[in-house]
Amino acid sequence: MSTTPPVLAAELAGAWADIQRHHPELPDLAAPESLIGESSSACGHELSFERLLHEAVHGIAAARGVRDTSRAGRYHNRRFLAIAEELGLDHPEEPHPSSGFSLVTLNPEAKRRYRPTIERLQRALKAHSAATAADTARSFRGPAARHGSSGGGVRVKAVCDCGRNVRVVPSVLAQAPIVCGGCGKPFRIPEVVGAGAS
């Protein structure tokens, strides 16, 4: 069994901690493993330090209570952009019609500041890719691989009776209930009322 995923998770956690040293209000990364093998079409990045810094923008926005996206998290607004600039990310002049200012890139100062972190994470990502490519057809890689998914997918809001909510891929929720730690009841995806209903 490969030890690369735990190593990569540790490198992701270390890179996140490095970002926190420069931006102390950034919350802890709850599950570095959740980023492994998952790309985000809304963020426009595969897993990289740039993607991690992008996610850190969302973390700081959450800590500040700032709504930095709309359209189910796809459109990154000017509030996202303002925090992205604080973290050393550049952006295009005009927003993308569907994803807004999501396609941010590291500016030269951020590249210098985080160079050792970027290099360590790139080595871990390269090792992870090599280990994944070396898997044989007989290796078990979990449900995402079985169903031809990267583990990503469109997440929707699932709610429980106490008012708490989570974002989840509907197929994951269909596999088994996800239970709220607050009230003990299962999360459910609310039915969408038709646009023509009055």
Side-chain angles (χ1 to χ4, degrees), residues 9-108:
E11 286 298 340
L12 285 166
W16 192 266
D18 194 22
I19 298 167
Q20 284 179 310
R21 279 190 283 282
H22 297 280
H23 303 280
E25 69 183 307
L26 177 63
D28 292 338
L29 182 60
E33 300 83 2
S34 66
L35 295 172
I36 298 173
E38 179 180 322
S39 64
S40 171
S41 58
C43 297
H45 300 297
E46 291 186 1
L47 187 55
S48 65
F49 183 78
E50 196 167 74
R51 160 90 188 281
L52 201 61
L53 205 55
H54 177 122
E55 295 299 331
V57 173
H58 292 304
I60 288 176
R64 293 178 182 175
V66 171
R67 186 170 179 193
D68 63 340
T69 63
S70 58
R71 302 180 195 167
R74 290 185 305 275
Y75 191 87
H76 293 59
N77 60 34
R78 290 191 184 277
R79 291 181 291 273
F80 170 86
L81 181 58
I83 299 170
E85 289 173 345
E86 290 177 38
L87 269 69
L89 292 167
D90 284 337
H91 56 86
E93 288 291 320
E94 295 296 321
H96 185 275
S98 62
S99 61
F101 294 101
S102 69
L103 300 177
V104 290
T105 56
L106 285 167
N107 68 27

Side-chain angles (χ1 to χ4, degrees), residues 172-191:
V172 171
L173 191 59
Q175 292 172 10
I178 297 174
V179 179
C180 174
C183 69
K185 294 184 179 175
F187 284 95
R188 59 183 168 67
I189 298 172
E191 291 184 27

